[in-house]
Every structure is written in structure tokens, then in C-alpha cells.
Amino acid sequence: MFDRLSALPADPLLGLITMFRDDPNPKKVDLGVGVYRDESGHTPIMTAVQKAAQLHMETEDSKTYIGPGGVIGFVEGIKSLVLGADSSALKDNRVAGLQCPGGCGSLRVASELLVRLKEELTVWVSDPTWANHIPLISSAGLPIKTYPYFDPTTGGVNFEAMEAQLSQLGPKDVVLLHGCCHNPTGADLTFENWKRVAELAAEKGFMPFVDIAYQGLGDGINEDVQGVRYLSEKVEEMIIATSCSKNFGLYRERTGTLLIQTKSSENANAIQTQIQDVARANYSMSPAYGGFIVDRILSDNSLRQEWETELNAMALRVKSLRGGLLEKIQARGIEKDFGFITTQKGMFSYLGISKDQVIRMREEFSIYMADSSRINVAGLNTQCLDYVADALKTVCE
Ligand code: LMR
């Protein structure tokens, strides 16, 4: 029977890992998969994570199951990290929360919860969106449509077009929003834009579904969630999927949370049982380890301070690489205006070059990026900026 199934092409992002690894060119540059890298190209384990892991190892005395919700302290810690200590929804106990296997796990459980509503919902995603959103959500059985988002002429958001589309939506629509550091474009909504989205959600009744995987890697831990917090105050119900892959560097630990903001604490209790049931039917329970680490960091003042300092340094490094790359590009007099590189936020920038040019960057210069021309800015380092800018000049001529 299995011989009826043929091999699939490599995943558009994960396939780049293998291609890069197998490239013998010593000058190769990996701007593909979204992982933070330091100046030497290494993805370090954050110091606070190392310390928390050490403490955890010294104190963990059992490997028994921890229960269907995951590490409770972790989930509660993430609720406050995202929504803030003053959140009305948190004060009213209106937010159900589940530890999930990474941001992907959270997105998937949320999608299956939406299917359970039997409402013939449509999920709207930004054009473009993260490459895995569409397969992940649609394979749960939800139809997907796109709303206009990126403006290639400015490298920012075409909010007018987005607003016009959202104004047409209603209670059978779910709108997936990137909480900050939009993946793949780096083009973020302004706070004013968030306010308008909140107004539209409240007025038209569509459900906001926020994916937030880069909190702290844009303008700061609190600054990056200003829009999400505003939204949470203005709408009764919303979904938030979070990930600790990037801001805690816990990529392989698959550590995420799903938060469902509901109308009442009674409803939150009911939804808690539903999301746990979705998890149980899929994989039973999340791996606990990442949750224990993050719980320790968020609940210990000194570890938390250390984590915040390190995260800020990571964000600053990415910002300075943005400035450095733009400077090198401008020095070469490339006709295309790449000024957006320094206004886009987070780890990604959408270069706006064609797929053919992306392939030339890869084949002629061993510079790897997603086919969409998304680069992981954190994959740059001060040594390779000239090389990357030269290559860009060649393919843009
Ligand atoms: C990315 O966008 O490159 C990362 O989130 C890794 C992934 O799983 O796609």
C-alpha cells in the first residue's frame, strides 16, 4: 500500500539546513532557518537557561507524568509575560492555558479547537505568512484565505488594504495576526494599526488568533506585546499561540503555550478541558522539560534579569546587523532601495528580490535564504556583510 505514496519535496525552510550543511564553500552564509546566531554563527544556549537547567537537574526527583495542562507555573508565567500583570482577562481568570510542543503544537491545538466549534470558520492569514502556517492550520480541516499585508514598494505594511479586507469579515472568520516581528517580512503593525484591528474585531465579531514567537526580539519584552495587550482588553475572546524557541533559545525542546481568552471564568474552565482533550487525542501530553526551565527563569528574579539582559543583547545585535548591512548595500550604489532593512523588526527581513535572484545568491555565492527572499538577519555577522552586499549587487544588476 505504501508504494502508492511518492516522496515529497523538502520543506521550504527546513530543507535549507541540509543544503547549507552539504555546501563545501568556506564562504557560505546561512540566512535560512530562523534561529538566532552569534557573531561566530553559533546558536548558543542562553546563560539563564543553562543555570535553570542545572538547578532543575539537581532538584528533579521524578519523571512521572505532570498532568494534562503541562507545567502549571510555566503556563501562568507565559500568560503574564504576554498579557501583562494588569490584564483584565487574567484578573478575571478568563484565560485557559496549555503547555504545547512548541509554537507549532499550540497553533495545531488551537486549530483543532476551532474545528470542534463546527462553525464553518475561515482562517485569514497575512499575505505572505510563515510558510508552515497554511499546512499546519489547513490540515486540521480549516479553510484558509489571505488578507493583504505586505507592501513590496515600501517594505512595510499596506494597512489600508488590510483594513479594507478585515472590514468585510464577520463572526465566522478567524484572523491570524503576528504578535510582533512578522515572519517572514519583518514588517510590523504600528500600535495605531493594532488599535484599529481591535476596533474592527470588536465591531465585526471576527476572532483574533495571535501567533507570537519573537517576543523580546523586536523593541523589547513589553514593547513587542503592546498591540496584543491592547487587543486583549478590547475583545472578549481571542487565541494566542506562543513559542519559547527563539526568545529562550529552546528550539529543540519544543516549548510553547496555547492561551484561549474566553468570556468568563466558567467558560475558561470548559475550554481548558477541551484543549487538554485535543492534546490527549493527539500526543497525550507535552514534553515537560522546556516548561520547567522557563518556569524557573520567569519566577526567579535574578535568572529573569539575566535572561532579559541577554535577550536585549540579542535584539540589539540583530538591529546593528540591519544597520551594517544597509550601510554596505548603500555604499555599493545598488539601485533598489533597501532602506526597509532598518525599519523592519525582529529576525527577518524580506529582501524583495526575485526567486531567480535568490537561486543565484545560493548557487553562485552559497548565500542561503528562503525562496521568498526572506533572510534571517541573525545569520549575518560583521565578517560577511561585504560579501553579502557584493553578491546582492551582482544579482541586482
Ligand atoms: C523559521 O521560520 O525559519 C522558523 O520558525 C523555523 C521553522 O520551523 O520554520
Side-chain angles (χ1 to χ4, degrees):
M1 237 199 282
F2 294 128
D3 56 1
R4 283 192 228 141
L5 297 175
S6 50
L8 294 170
D11 177 90
L13 288 169
L14 302 185
L16 294 169
I17 299 176
T18 332
M19 277 162 95
F20 179 80
R21 197 190 49 212
D22 296 344
D23 186 338
N25 185 348
K27 287 187 159 170
K28 63 186 177 179
V29 184
D30 185 1
L31 309 179
V33 179
V35 296
Y36 178 80
R37 292 184 200 285
D38 62 18
E39 181 64 15
S40 65
H42 182 58
T43 302
I45 304 176
M46 294 175 84
T47 316
V49 168
Q50 287 181 24
K51 289 187 182 170
Q54 183 64 34
L55 287 168
H56 178 64
M57 209 177 68
E58 286 163 9
T59 49
E60 185 177 53
D61 61 359
S62 173
K63 293 286 184 193
T64 186
Y65 296 121
I66 48 162
V71 179
I72 303 302
F74 161 67
V75 176
E76 294 304 312
I78 296 292
K79 282 183 186 173
S80 311
L81 187 72
V82 177
L83 293 174
D86 296 333
S87 152
S88 313
L90 289 186
K91 283 185 184 153
D92 300 344
N93 296 317
R94 287 191 287 116
V95 183
L98 179 73
Q99 180 174 354
C100 290
C104 286
S106 317
L107 290 163
R108 180 64 187 213
V109 174
S111 302
E112 294 199 20
L113 178 72
L114 289 171
V115 170
R116 287 187 176 202
L117 295 172
K118 298 195 170 40
E119 281 285 357
E120 296 187 5
L121 301 168
T122 300
V123 179
W124 293 79
V125 298
S126 60
D127 180 19
T129 195
W130 176 50
N132 205 28
H133 272 150
I134 296 175
L136 206 157
I137 296 167
S138 63
S139 64
L142 292 162
I144 299 220
K145 289 189 179 163
T146 57
Y147 59 84
Y149 187 80
F150 186 63
D151 181 350
T153 55
T154 62
V157 178
N158 181 352
F159 190 69
E160 213 177 300
M162 174 177 172
E163 185 184 12
Q165 180 62 69
L166 298 192
S167 308
Q168 307 298 314
L169 306 187
K172 288 198 184 270
D173 295 299
V174 177
V175 177
L176 187 73
L177 301 155
H178 297 229
C180 64
C181 308
H182 186 268
N183 181 3
T185 68
D188 275 358
L189 295 176
T190 63
F191 187 51
E192 288 309 309
N193 294 160
W194 277 102
K195 283 184 172 167
R196 181 67 186 132
V197 170
E199 201 172 82
L200 283 170
E203 185 187 316
K204 307 284 174 187
F206 62 76
M207 168 87 70
F209 181 174
V210 175
D211 180 5
I212 180 147
Y214 296 87
Q215 185 179 355
L217 282 154
D219 290 333
I221 292 170
N222 290 314
E223 293 79 352
D224 287 349
V225 283
Q226 222 193 351
V228 180
R229 288 180 184 174
Y230 184 87
L231 191 57
S232 156
E233 294 299 328
K234 296 292 164 189
V235 297
E236 286 187 307
E237 297 182 324
M238 69 189 277
I239 302 167
I240 305 175
T242 86
S243 165
C244 298
S245 297
K246 328 283 164 156
N247 54 3
F248 288 86
L250 289 168
Y251 303 90
R252 62 178 68 162
E253 314 300 353
R254 311 310 302 138
T255 310
T257 49
L258 172 61
L259 309 179
I260 308 281
Q261 179 173 313
T262 65
K263 291 181 185 167
S264 65
S265 61
E266 293 74 27
N267 192 218
N269 291 337
I271 294 301
Q272 186 68 42
T273 66
Q274 290 282 344
I275 51 182
Q276 288 175 188
D277 190 61
V278 171
R280 179 74 169 148
N282 276 282
Y283 52 85
S284 190
M285 275 170 262
S286 279
Y289 183 71
F292 279 127
I293 303 300
V294 174
D295 182 18
R296 244 176 220 283
I297 294 172
L298 293 181
S299 56
D300 175 306
N301 281 342
S302 139
L303 283 177
R304 185 176 175 130
Q305 193 51 52
E306 197 160 355
W307 168 68
E308 288 193 12
T309 306
E310 199 167 352
L311 183 57
N312 282 336
M314 286 158 64
L316 280 177
R317 177 171 180 277
V318 176
K319 271 195 184 148
S320 107
L321 287 166
R322 287 182 178 278
L325 181 62
L326 182 61
E327 207 175 285
K328 301 286 183 190
I329 289 173
Q330 286 174 340
R332 279 155 180 82
I334 303 177
E335 203 182 317
K336 182 175 163 57
D337 181 5
F338 284 93
F340 54 80
I341 291 180
T342 51
T343 51
Q344 292 173 346
K345 303 246 165 82
M347 298 212 322
F348 303 116
S349 203
Y350 218 48
L351 290 186
I353 59 173
S354 68
K355 189 167 171 191
D356 284 348
Q357 289 169 316
V358 168
I359 292 170
R360 284 189 65 196
M361 293 285 280
R362 187 153 73 219
E363 291 181 350
E364 294 173 31
F365 300 95
S366 300
I367 298 173
Y368 289 77
M369 67 184 77
D371 283 352
S372 62
S373 83
R374 182 197 85 171
I375 59 164
N376 171 22
V377 182
L380 293 164
N381 58 65
T382 51
Q383 303 306 308
C384 73
L385 290 180
D386 280 306
Y387 181 66
V388 172
D390 283 339
L392 258 181
K393 182 166 168 64
T394 309
V395 303
C396 285
E397 267 165 0

